Amino acid sequence: QMSDLIERREALYLNAIRRTLMEHWDPMGFQGIPELSGEYDAYLAPLHAMLAGRRPSLELGQYLRTLELEELKLGKTTASSE
């Protein structure tokens, strides 16, 4: 059925995005830890929508950087660490 095909295709896309995040982004260093392979799954749907909408790569990079800074709280320094 067409709906099954669409669901399988979407699952393939989401898995590809999941692998790409783990292999090429992974700011938390979870790669190689199977139990944490879904740690970034909350970001799959927005990224899938951006890719499906053919958003520019700069926009994708900005989204990931925003996640690092605001969601994951990485890359910020505090006054006490100076």
Side-chain angles (χ1 to χ4, degrees):
Q1 291 182 351
M2 184 61 93
S3 62
D4 290 339
L5 179 63
I6 292 170
E7 285 179 28
R8 282 188 298 225
R9 185 180 300 164
E10 185 167 324
L12 287 171
Y13 288 145
L14 293 176
N15 283 330
I17 295 168
R18 180 182 293 114
R19 277 194 321 274
T20 300
L21 289 178
M22 275 297 182
E23 294 173 9
H24 301 285
W25 180 58
D26 191 25
M28 302 296 288
F30 295 143
Q31 185 177 10
I33 306 171
E35 302 82 36
L36 299 178
S37 65
E39 193 63 27
Y40 303 129
D41 282 3
Y43 315 129
L44 296 180
L47 286 166
H48 181 266
M50 293 172 84
L51 291 165
R54 298 182 185 265
R55 305 305 308 158
S57 59
L58 180 62
E59 189 174 321
L60 292 167
Q62 289 172 333
Y63 173 73
L64 293 173
R65 186 65 181 146
T66 298
L67 289 175
E68 291 174 12
L69 295 174
E70 295 177 10
E71 186 90 13
L72 302 174
K73 308 291 188 212
L74 301 175
K76 291 189 175 184
T77 58
T78 61
S80 63
S81 66
E82 294 178 358

